[in-house]
Amino acid sequence: MRRRQTEQQSEPQLEPQLEPLWRPSEARIAQAAITTFREQASAAAGRDLAGYSDLHAWSVADPAGFWSLYARFAGIPFHAPPERVMSNDPMPGTRWFPGATLNYAEALLYPPALVAESQPALLALDESGGERRLSYAELRRQTAAVQAALSGEGIGPGDRVAAFAANVPETVVLLLACAGLGAIFTSCSPDFGFEAAAARFGQVKPKVLAASCEYRYGGKRFDTASTVRRLVAELGLRRAVALPCPGAGPGPPPAETVPWEEWLPRQNEGAPRLEPQPFDHPLYVLYSSGTTGPPKAIVHRAGGVLLAHHKEHRLHCDIRPGDLALYFTTCGWMMWNWLVSVLAQGATAVLYEGSPAHPDIETLWRLADRHRFTFFGTSARYLHSLQSRQVEPRQFNLGRLRTIASTGSSLSPAGFEFVYRSIKEDVHLASISGGTDIVSCFMLGVPTLPVYSGQIQAPGLAVDLAAFDDQGRPVRGRPAELVCRQSLPSMPLRFWNDRDGERYRRSYFERFDGVWHHGDLVEMTPEGGVVVFGRSDATLNPGGVRIGTAEVYRPLDELPEVLEAAAVGRRQDGDESIWLFVVLAEGVPLDEELVETIRSRIRKAASPRHVPGRVLAVSQLPRTRSGKVMEMAVARVVNGEEVVNRSVIANPEALDEVTRVVRRAQAQDA
């Protein structure tokens, strides 16, 4: 059912109630790029924008003024100037910077703030201790060489090039080469099975595939050559290229592929081609997880990606020229695309290939110490794992580390407190949240604001974020649906093979008329921040009371016996009870005493309605390829429904275990 938002609905303002975990120093505030930008915005607005709230209010009241100013502030390399900033068409039909031309690769290969040509653009590290550096000058040379090879295959504007790839420099080079030519890049990581990769690449029909025929993770070698052979046979390619792999075995790549070095021209000293393209030119295709059906192939525009990432890196994450920025990710997660864009800041993108827990869970912190990272990006799951194992990264030299970013799921209040207690006291902890849908963030960190436990600091600049109740009214101080009331340049250009845009509109605009509905359950806090409770389609509803799954998990954060949990609703007789699946620490049994401790903690910290009716132990929880717990898949099993598209599950054996545990529990109840 479609509901129209209430016009001119005011949101009640609440007074801050918490003491912050961290406040930026006056020196840090003065040095932050957002402070300089705020001064320029004040001049543009004709009034003093005294703090972030004023700056944000101006950015959503005058989005055209904001994006125009930011494009100038960032030095976006327009070849042809825009006729205007944005059209008057409502979402999703808004056109951005019509008439303008630019090239995404140019902004990354020739950043205005670059300190030196010899500065590393990429620092590639892997779990076996391997280390490679590519300077900006070398990155340009390799991009030009790959472009020559692509042109030899007849690749031009609009053609698709796919990467079934490990997180190695060649994958970044391939993306930049495609962007320079106007070709469309798409990728997934080599831990995807054939069905999952084919379900994605088969939609866009690439002409060239670059593939990792093996990879290493957790000290083990995984041979993906058979998957690559099947993809080559399935996709009808012009060329398949075997990518280099850190620590690769001695054997040759599959006969269906040509080795990367053989594919490149023997001599190429030219500069990369950087063809000016319209702002809306497709840059790459990303994919939804596909947990409820075929993955959506989401087309992102070059100009929107560049502007959104640039704003987030420079203003919200305070990434500076010469910084070393790590985000632990794979090429199958949007955070890889986000990381690559730090090159536009004249920074070094740190690529890590392998397990963050090999040979032990302190690996990434030793690397942060050795290389002096300034930005450390990871998942909430990783931070919670450090916490549960009582790891103390503060023992390492993290003197240059200014920012720790966390995403992928909600970072609990205990997780926030762990960072400041056990990693570093003076650090900007930026919990960030957005999605593949916008390949950027709705809400994230602000380096000039205090950090409050359990809260994302603020909606992003120019993001008109709100929490809507079921009647489409904005509310504060209680969980409600995350919406965005204005268009953003990083919203999808379209879905692939969705000619009339019906699937796109149905995905985001069916719930509330003319408003982007994201599907997250959030609360706007008195401190101006945002708390994320999880996906609203996974919301629990015992006794008709709506409960976000994070509300059940948070009381367990400081219970060392419980490493992870998944709460789902078991529907029966017109009501719903909560079933809680827990992964326990090694050697810990799920006895009656522990079950009662779990229930007691949840009852005390949340409410009696949050208390699970069943608590069940499993050795692992099913996850997407990007590491998110698949609550909906568990819920389907609990309610006797089929789990569609099992190929998107990174560890399908976990779902099989959940199924066995559920059947035993149901047999006991019978």
Side-chain angles (χ1 to χ4, degrees):
M1 181 174 65
R2 299 173 66 87
R3 295 183 173 94
R4 179 172 295 277
Q5 64 169 325
T6 303
E7 300 293 338
Q8 305 298 324
Q9 177 72 39
S10 62
E11 302 173 38
Q13 300 298 310
L14 304 174
E15 291 298 320
Q17 299 173 341
L18 302 176
E19 285 298 316
L21 292 172
W22 176 81
R23 288 187 185 274
S25 66
E26 291 300 321
R28 178 154 188 167
I29 292 172
Q31 294 166 4
I34 194 171
T35 299
T36 303
F37 180 76
R38 182 175 55 80
E39 293 167 354
Q40 295 186 17
S42 294
R47 65 181 187 278
D48 181 26
L49 303 175
Y52 185 79
S53 60
D54 287 350
L55 178 61
H56 181 267
W58 170 74
S59 72
V60 298
D62 185 7
F66 170 83
W67 288 113
S68 176
L69 176 64
Y70 190 76
R72 295 194 302 274
F73 181 82
I76 299 298
F78 288 121
H79 287 258
E83 299 162 2
R84 52 180 170 163
V85 175
M86 58 190 296
S87 71
N88 294 324
D89 304 289
M91 294 186 285
T94 310
R95 291 196 60 211
W96 290 92
F97 293 90
T101 59
L102 50 70
N103 190 280
Y104 171 84
E106 179 181 2
L108 275 61
L109 291 169
Y110 297 91
L114 183 64
V115 175
E117 299 293 306
S118 59
Q119 176 192 318
L122 303 177
L123 171 60
L125 308 169
D126 64 72
E127 66 171 35
S128 63
E131 185 176 312
R132 292 171 59 194
R133 285 181 171 84
L134 265 71
S135 69
Y136 272 84
E138 179 60 21
L139 183 60
R140 294 168 191 162
R141 284 193 293 272
Q142 291 201 20
T143 299
V146 172
Q147 286 181 330
L150 288 172
S151 296
E153 308 292 352
I155 299 299
D159 290 330
R160 279 77 66 201
V161 174
F164 181 75
N167 191 13
V168 293
E170 288 77 11
T171 316
V172 177
V173 173
L174 185 62
L175 165 58
L176 295 174
C178 290
L181 296 174
I184 303 172
F185 177 86
T186 190
S187 66
C188 66
S189 56
D191 58 344
F192 278 55
F194 166 74
E195 290 80 7
R200 288 157 172 78
F201 295 159
Q203 296 184 59
V204 301
K205 303 188 185 313
K207 295 182 178 179
V208 170
L209 172 70
S212 296
C213 299
E214 61 178 282
Y215 69 95
R216 291 182 178 272
Y217 192 89
K220 299 178 182 178
R221 175 181 176 271
F222 295 86
D223 188 339
T224 57
S226 61
T227 300
V228 173
R229 292 189 189 98
R230 293 180 68 187
L231 287 172
V232 172
E234 175 76 14
L235 296 175
L237 305 161
R238 291 184 185 175
R239 179 72 68 186
V241 184
L243 290 167
C245 174
E256 296 86 347
T257 67
V258 58
W260 178 264
E261 294 298 332
E262 292 183 18
W263 181 57
L264 299 182
R266 294 189 179 276
Q267 291 185 335
N268 189 83
E269 299 299 326
R273 288 171 53 190
L274 303 167
E275 303 291 344
Q277 303 288 347
F279 189 92
D280 278 354
H281 187 77
L283 172 64
Y284 40 61
V285 176
L286 301 183
Y287 305 92
S288 66
S289 61
T291 54
T292 57
K296 298 189 289 285
I298 305 170
V299 184
H300 287 289
R301 64 193 98 198
V305 167
L306 177 59
L307 262 184
H309 289 182
H310 202 294
K311 177 203 72 169
E312 293 177 357
H313 292 150
R314 189 165 184 182
L315 300 187
H316 289 278
C317 296
D318 202 27
I319 294 174
R320 306 170 186 175
D323 277 358
L324 273 75
L326 165 82
Y327 219 107
F328 177 73
T329 181
T330 72
C331 300
W333 189 21
M334 60 149 283
M335 294 311 299
W336 181 83
N337 305 74
W338 192 89
L339 172 64
V340 170
S341 292
V342 303
L343 296 173
Q345 305 302 324
T348 299
V350 181
L351 314 176
Y352 181 81
E353 171 62 15
S355 167
H358 182 80
D360 58 61
I361 202 167
E362 295 179 341
T363 292
L364 295 181
W365 298 106
R366 281 193 292 272
L367 293 173
D369 181 328
R370 182 188 312 161
H371 297 285
R372 301 295 187 262
F373 295 169
T374 54
F375 180 96
F376 188 106
T378 185
S379 65
R381 178 193 177 198
Y382 175 74
L383 293 174
H384 287 148
S385 182
L386 292 174
Q387 176 192 356
S388 67
R389 300 186 194 189
Q390 300 180 330
V391 176
E392 297 283 333
R394 64 182 176 182
Q395 66 182 290
F396 298 101
N397 182 353
L398 305 176
R400 291 195 67 217
L401 185 64
R402 294 196 309 274
T403 306
I404 296 174
S406 169
T407 194
S409 58
S410 299
L411 183 63
S412 68
F416 273 75
E417 291 152 15
F418 166 78
V419 168
Y420 286 104
R421 180 181 66 250
S422 299
I423 300 181
K424 190 176 182 181
E425 290 182 4
D426 186 18
V427 72
H428 177 210
L429 174 55
S431 182
I432 66 179
S433 181
T436 299
D437 319 73
I438 61 167
V439 73
S440 58
C441 302
F442 284 116
M443 53 273 201
L444 66 170
V446 181
T448 56
L449 290 181
V451 172
Y452 293 94
S453 182
Q455 297 186 24
I456 298 176
Q457 282 175 286
L461 290 172
V463 180
D464 189 10
L465 200 70
F468 272 14
D469 65 13
D470 288 342
Q471 285 70 48
R473 298 173 301 200
V475 297
R476 286 181 175 270
R478 58 187 175 93
E481 295 285 346
L482 171 66
V483 301
C484 186
R485 295 176 289 196
Q486 290 185 5
S487 183
L488 296 171
S490 60
M491 286 177 177
L493 179 63
R494 62 177 186 272
F495 289 173
W496 200 265
N497 293 328
D498 183 29
R499 295 187 183 280
D500 61 1
E502 177 56 30
R503 192 179 182 202
Y504 182 4
R505 290 188 293 272
R506 192 168 63 246
S507 295
Y508 307 113
F509 298 98
E510 192 170 51
R511 177 77 181 274
F512 302 109
D513 215 10
V515 173
W516 176 290
H517 170 235
H518 195 60
D520 281 349
L521 194 67
V522 302
E523 178 182 327
M524 312 298 284
T525 72
E527 293 75 26
V530 186
V531 176
V532 180
F533 294 100
R535 295 292 297 172
S536 56
D537 56 9
T539 298
L540 308 169
N541 196 30
V545 177
R546 203 176 192 202
I547 293 173
T549 53
E551 297 176 79
V552 177
Y553 305 148
R554 284 175 182 164
L556 305 177
D557 288 335
E558 296 186 33
L559 195 63
E561 295 89 342
V562 178
L563 300 181
E564 284 191 298
V568 302
R570 160 70 166 163
R571 299 186 298 274
Q572 193 170 18
D573 300 327
D575 199 356
E576 187 172 280
S577 63
I578 298 174
W579 283 33
L580 182 69
F581 294 81
V582 293
V583 178
L584 301 177
E586 186 175 355
V588 174
L590 185 65
D591 53 24
E592 291 184 7
E593 182 179 356
L594 181 55
V595 169
E596 183 51 39
T597 298
I598 289 170
R599 287 173 168 159
S600 176
R601 289 220 175 193
I602 293 172
R603 182 183 295 108
K604 183 177 180 180
S607 82
R609 290 193 180 275
H610 291 72
V611 176
R614 295 298 299 261
V615 181
L616 303 166
V618 292
S619 64
Q620 59 179 322
L621 295 168
R623 297 186 175 279
T624 65
R625 302 282 175 178
S626 61
K628 296 180 181 180
V629 173
M630 299 179 69
E631 293 169 327
M632 288 301 296
V634 176
R636 294 185 74 86
V637 170
V638 166
N639 289 289
E641 300 169 354
E642 181 185 0
V643 177
V644 297
N645 207 3
R646 285 175 59 97
S647 66
V648 305
I649 305 174
N651 54 341
E653 69 279 4
L655 192 66
D656 295 335
E657 181 185 3
V658 168
T659 302
R660 292 192 297 271
V661 169
V662 168
R663 286 174 178 168
R664 284 199 299 268
Q666 291 172 338
Q668 293 169 4
D669 291 344

